[in-house]
Amino acid sequence: MSTKTPQAVAETLQKAAEKGNAKAQYGLGLLYASGQGVKQSSRMAMVWYRKAAEQGHAGAQCVLGTKYATGQGVAQDAKKALNWYLKAANQGDVRAQCYLGVLFDEGVLIERDALQAEYWLSQAAETGDAEAQLQLGRHYDRSGNFMAITWYRRAAEQGVGEAQAMLGNRYATGDGVEQDWQEAFEWFLKAAEQGNLNAQWNLGLIYAEGRGGEVDIEEALYWLMRAAKHGYAPAQASLGMIYANGRGVPQDGKKALFLWRKAAEKGDGEAQHNIGYLFASGTDVTQDPVEALRWYRLAAENGVAEAQVKVGLACVQDGVAVPGLIEAYMWFSIAATAGSEAGRANSAHAETLMTPEQIVEGQQRVSDWLAAFRVKRGSLAAA
């Protein structure tokens, strides 16, 4: 039984496509896109995709939607992307339904519409599509809906690494489920073995801290190093702490600083705070209070409560001038919202030195900062 060569397949599709067969037109577009049996040509791929899409081929319509959404080979056009995705989605194309849901959920190319996002993602997820199940979980997560964990679990059980890592995080923190370190470990392990960097980092922490079992620094180092070598900032920061403390490795302050700088450059707040401490104390670097405060401020802006308290204290170290006092109050109060006892105590003390008007201004600054931080954190999570 002979097998057709790619060239022969292309010739057969070409003949059928020229006669108006939509399925063949779509297939020929795929061949031109990949260069199988024909000379690769993104332009010709678009020609045949469009011909098939205009005849109602859902797969081709979905491809055109993606092209216009991403600007691949065409000018990015949100209206055209939405139009083609809708045509395909209304025919039951699962990929188009999922992409359309994400488009409405992200609200980048088009105005965000949570109801439309939920509808289209649900349509795709109910067919058993794992990617749509993950995206529906994310959608519910944005609003704190308890259904998020249901869809994460469905995607995780189909082997989606990101969903497995999400479940691991839920069990580790007790968010929406009873805290269970063994369950967290099992889901992190599944995701980590697939290369999920967040899961590898969390698995390293579980071994380093002995969560649900005994401390195993060798395993902790294995998983932290795996994530760190791929540039995952939290793992680099945690690995730096292990070198700083000499746990399972020779104590090495220079290596710790190197790793923290790598993580800090990517915006890791814990690493920025640790570097601030080195400059404040003169550990392994020349003591420099100004440089220490610079790093503490960066960490504070990235949500590290301990750094926020230190920045607050720095604002009033030369007295209680009004501008500094209001800023100090802001940082103490922000730290307090994260559960910092030092933040709460210092915030309460600062209030005794402030007028009611100053307290109102400080509270408004806190609200503004927290709102901006939630947006920032949401953007990072989506990325």
Side-chain angles (χ1 to χ4, degrees):
M1 186 175 181
S2 61
T3 302
K4 284 188 176 182
T5 64
Q7 290 77 12
V9 171
E11 289 173 8
T12 300
L13 287 177
Q14 182 85 35
K15 290 175 182 178
E18 289 173 350
K19 291 178 181 178
N21 183 294
K23 186 177 180 180
Q25 291 168 342
Y26 175 58
L28 192 58
L30 293 174
L31 292 186
Y32 273 111
S34 63
Q36 294 184 54
V38 293
K39 184 178 180 181
Q40 196 280 333
S41 171
S42 298
R43 184 184 68 81
M44 288 303 297
M46 281 294 292
V47 167
W48 289 110
Y49 286 147
R50 192 177 299 280
K51 286 181 181 292
E54 288 171 349
Q55 289 200 75
H57 190 284
Q61 291 169 341
C62 181
V63 169
L64 283 186
T66 300
K67 295 291 184 183
Y68 281 111
T70 59
Q72 294 178 11
V74 293
Q76 192 176 47
D77 190 318
K79 187 175 181 180
K80 288 181 179 178
L82 183 61
N83 176 60
W84 286 115
Y85 276 149
L86 277 170
K87 287 179 182 292
N90 282 321
Q91 291 192 70
D93 187 274
V94 174
R95 289 291 87 214
Q97 291 171 342
C98 181
Y99 297 155
L100 189 57
V102 171
L103 208 61
F104 278 118
D105 206 26
E106 290 180 342
V108 176
L109 283 182
I110 59 176
E111 185 178 352
R112 187 170 191 269
D113 188 326
L115 199 61
Q116 287 276 19
E118 182 178 5
Y119 173 77
W120 288 113
L121 288 173
S122 295
Q123 292 290 305
E126 291 289 0
T127 69
D129 184 82
E131 175 63 21
Q133 291 170 345
L134 169 64
Q135 296 297 342
L136 187 56
R138 281 179 172 175
H139 168 76
Y140 285 129
D141 225 351
R142 284 186 172 94
S143 59
N145 191 307
F146 72 94
M147 286 297 293
I149 196 164
T150 297
W151 290 105
Y152 283 148
R153 188 181 301 280
R154 291 194 186 184
E157 288 170 350
Q158 291 200 66
V160 177
E162 186 176 343
Q164 292 168 340
M166 291 287 193
L167 268 188
N169 278 309
R170 290 303 188 98
Y171 280 109
T173 59
D175 182 8
V177 293
E178 186 177 345
Q179 189 178 51
D180 186 329
W181 283 106
Q182 185 57 41
E183 193 77 9
F185 173 84
E186 290 174 5
W187 284 114
F188 281 141
L189 182 60
K190 288 177 186 290
E193 289 175 340
Q194 291 195 66
N196 185 281
L197 301 181
N198 177 271
Q200 291 173 349
W201 169 56
N202 274 291
L203 199 56
L205 294 183
I206 287 176
Y207 278 119
E209 297 165 5
R211 299 287 188 177
E214 295 182 0
V215 170
D216 189 332
I217 292 298
E218 188 175 335
E219 280 293 316
L221 285 168
Y222 172 76
W223 288 109
L224 290 176
M225 285 179 175
R226 277 190 64 172
K229 75 177 182 180
H230 285 99
Y232 192 62
Q236 292 172 330
S238 296
L239 192 58
M241 186 62 73
I242 284 180
Y243 277 103
N245 294 328
R247 294 186 66 198
V249 293
Q251 195 277 336
D252 190 334
K254 289 184 178 179
K255 186 144 192 179
L257 179 58
F258 171 80
L259 287 163
W260 285 338
R261 282 192 182 278
K262 288 285 186 184
E265 288 167 2
K266 301 181 186 78
D268 186 272
E270 291 296 337
Q272 291 165 343
H273 176 261
N274 292 340
I275 295 173
Y277 170 79
L278 294 185
F279 280 106
S281 63
T283 304
D284 297 312
V285 294
T286 301
Q287 191 173 35
D288 187 335
V290 174
E291 186 69 358
L293 182 57
R294 184 177 79 84
W295 284 107
Y296 283 149
R297 280 192 176 277
L298 289 172
E301 291 290 357
N302 280 308
V304 179
E306 191 174 349
Q308 291 165 348
V309 172
K310 288 173 180 173
V311 171
L313 291 171
C315 290
V316 291
Q317 66 181 0
D318 294 323
V320 289
V322 170
L325 183 58
I326 294 174
E327 185 180 359
Y329 175 74
M330 179 193 80
W331 285 118
F332 293 148
S333 300
I334 291 169
T337 65
S340 168
E341 288 298 328
R344 189 174 293 108
N346 280 289
S347 175
H349 176 65
E351 282 191 2
T352 66
L353 305 174
M354 299 166 70
T355 66
E357 293 77 16
Q358 291 166 356
I359 292 172
V360 169
E361 181 182 343
Q363 289 173 340
Q364 184 60 54
R365 290 193 191 183
V366 172
S367 297
D368 292 344
W369 188 93
L370 290 173
F373 184 68
R374 280 192 290 270
V375 171
K376 174 184 175 181
R377 186 169 54 185
S379 299
L380 290 172

